[in-house]
Amino acid sequence: MATSTSIFFSVIIPVYNNETYIIRCLESVKNQTWINFECLVINDGSTDSTQELIEATIKDDPRIILLNKPNEGLSSARNYGMQSAKGNVFAFLDSDDFWESYKLQQDSELYLSNPHISLTFCSCKTINEKGKIEKYLSKPYNNNPLELISENSIISSGSGVTLKRIVYEKIGLFNLSLRSFEDLEYWFRAAIHGFKFSYGDLPTVFIQRNSKSMSQNHNRMLKNNLLCFKIQLTLLNAHSEKTKKVNIYAFKRIKGVRKYTHKSNLFIGTKTAVLMGYELFKFNLRSIFPTNGLGS
């Protein structure tokens, strides 16, 4: 039976040129009531004062380790952190965001109460550039991988997710071909392999809303939405999921493309929705004719 001393978190924080928020992020980790953790800060080739600020903030806390690497993007930095981690549970935290002091405590209690779960997530609060805070609720999740086809909001921010090392050992690293939606693809891959999620009732994460952040790059989001969708359908085909059920969730995803479509990229948004529909069409054909080589 798991005990409190059997859970050791490896907190993984990728950071690139984030001198504005990195200290706040690190202080929230240092202030955790659950003290059985290490924190790996992956400096992904920052060129501003981020590295100096990190070094000054962590100098008196040996639990926090700075790892420097060339700039290769968010997924690469997370992968580097997982490959360097010593813990049996990984916790992800983006450097813009920060945690309540009881974040790891809540996650540890979820694992201790149910040895069959392998991932945890929670509701969050958003904070805009003016400091206004709003609650952002995750949606109920019934451990049905198809729900992760329709949208990612059920597990909110990657900064709220923790997962056992056995998940990483089974499904591997984040997909480097995705510059966004990489988290959705990873949670989906875990779900399709049978790993179970558990939800923490308390919102323990503050998500920083930044008008200059990657999530505001709508063209990039559209491109990666399509690529992620294609990867997910390929995995579903390999696991022989029922076509009718997949279609129900997939159509919700295609309809949601408008979230990233605006007047400035109306053509790209429409094209993305059409291409996603085409990928779903190929999925249906593969389900009917599994050996015809379509979509290769």
Side-chain angles (χ1 to χ4, degrees):
M1 181 177 178
T3 63
S4 58
T5 57
S6 67
I7 299 177
F8 183 75
F9 288 97
S10 287
V11 180
I12 298 170
I13 305 177
V15 57
Y16 173 70
N17 285 356
N18 194 12
E19 57 190 6
T20 304
Y21 298 117
I22 186 59
I23 294 178
R24 181 183 68 179
C25 175
L26 292 175
E27 289 295 338
S28 77
V29 176
K30 293 171 68 174
N31 292 331
Q32 289 298 299
T33 57
W34 183 271
I35 62 174
N36 200 22
F37 70 86
E38 66 172 358
C39 178
L40 305 180
V41 186
I42 315 302
N43 179 26
D44 194 39
S46 295
T47 57
D48 62 0
S49 62
T50 293
Q51 181 174 339
E52 290 77 10
L53 290 171
I54 295 170
E55 290 172 341
T57 305
I58 70 174
K59 62 182 180 180
D60 296 323
D61 195 332
R63 299 173 301 175
I64 306 179
I65 303 165
L66 173 62
L67 300 175
N68 294 304
K69 64 181 291 296
N71 178 249
E72 295 172 305
L74 178 60
S75 290
S76 174
R78 283 179 177 156
N79 290 345
Y80 192 80
M82 290 196 292
Q83 291 170 317
S84 305
K86 297 178 182 178
N88 56 2
V89 181
F90 300 163
F92 300 103
L93 176 58
D94 292 343
S95 62
D96 284 350
D97 305 333
F98 62 104
W99 287 341
E100 295 278 15
S101 61
Y102 47 85
K103 167 73 173 84
L104 296 182
Q105 182 71 42
Q106 175 170 262
D107 293 314
S108 65
E109 290 172 358
L110 290 172
Y111 286 119
L112 292 170
S113 64
N114 186 351
H116 300 294
I117 65 169
S118 298
L119 299 93
T120 69
F121 67 102
C122 63
S123 289
C124 306
K125 297 177 182 178
T126 62
I127 178 169
N128 65 21
E129 291 164 305
K130 295 182 179 180
K132 183 179 179 181
I133 297 175
E134 295 180 351
K135 195 170 184 179
Y136 177 79
L137 292 173
S138 293
K139 296 184 179 180
Y141 177 55
N142 298 313
N143 282 297
N144 173 11
L146 294 183
E147 293 182 27
L148 292 170
I149 282 288
S150 62
E151 58 186 327
N152 192 23
S153 62
I154 63 167
I155 50 175
S156 56
S157 167
S159 294
V161 175
T162 75
L163 57 89
K164 289 181 178 178
R165 174 180 285 273
I166 56 173
V167 178
Y168 154 69
E169 293 173 343
K170 177 68 175 181
I171 71 172
L173 300 167
F174 283 90
N175 191 322
L176 294 178
S177 67
L178 291 167
R179 302 290 289 184
S180 54
F181 285 87
E182 78 294 329
D183 53 348
L184 172 58
E185 190 277 331
Y186 199 81
W187 319 144
F188 175 79
R189 209 186 324 153
I192 204 72
H193 279 85
F195 291 107
K196 301 302 181 183
F197 293 73
S198 184
Y199 173 71
D201 293 328
L202 297 175
T204 59
V205 180
F206 289 88
I207 306 170
Q208 180 67 49
R209 296 302 191 197
N210 187 343
S211 60
K212 297 180 181 179
S213 71
M214 183 174 64
S215 63
Q216 301 302 314
N217 187 331
H218 295 100
N219 287 349
R220 176 181 288 180
M221 296 293 282
L222 286 166
K223 177 183 177 181
N224 285 275
N225 193 356
L226 172 61
L227 179 56
C228 176
F229 186 68
K230 183 176 181 179
I231 294 170
Q232 289 176 297
L233 290 180
T234 300
L235 285 169
L236 284 170
N237 184 261
H239 284 78
S240 301
E241 289 292 335
K242 298 296 183 182
T243 305
K244 184 176 180 180
K245 290 183 178 180
V246 172
N247 285 335
I248 293 172
Y249 290 97
F251 279 126
K252 291 181 181 179
R253 174 76 160 274
I254 295 171
K255 186 178 180 181
V257 166
R258 62 187 178 183
K259 178 180 179 181
Y260 308 106
T261 304
H262 299 269
K263 292 180 180 179
S264 60
N265 63 354
L266 183 60
F267 172 77
I268 297 174
T270 303
K271 180 181 177 181
T272 300
V274 171
L275 290 175
M276 290 175 77
Y278 177 60
E279 291 299 332
L280 183 58
F281 171 73
K282 290 196 296 183
F283 169 81
N284 281 278
L285 285 184
R286 286 195 299 263
S287 300
I288 300 170
F289 306 107
T291 60
N292 66 3
L294 286 169
S296 60

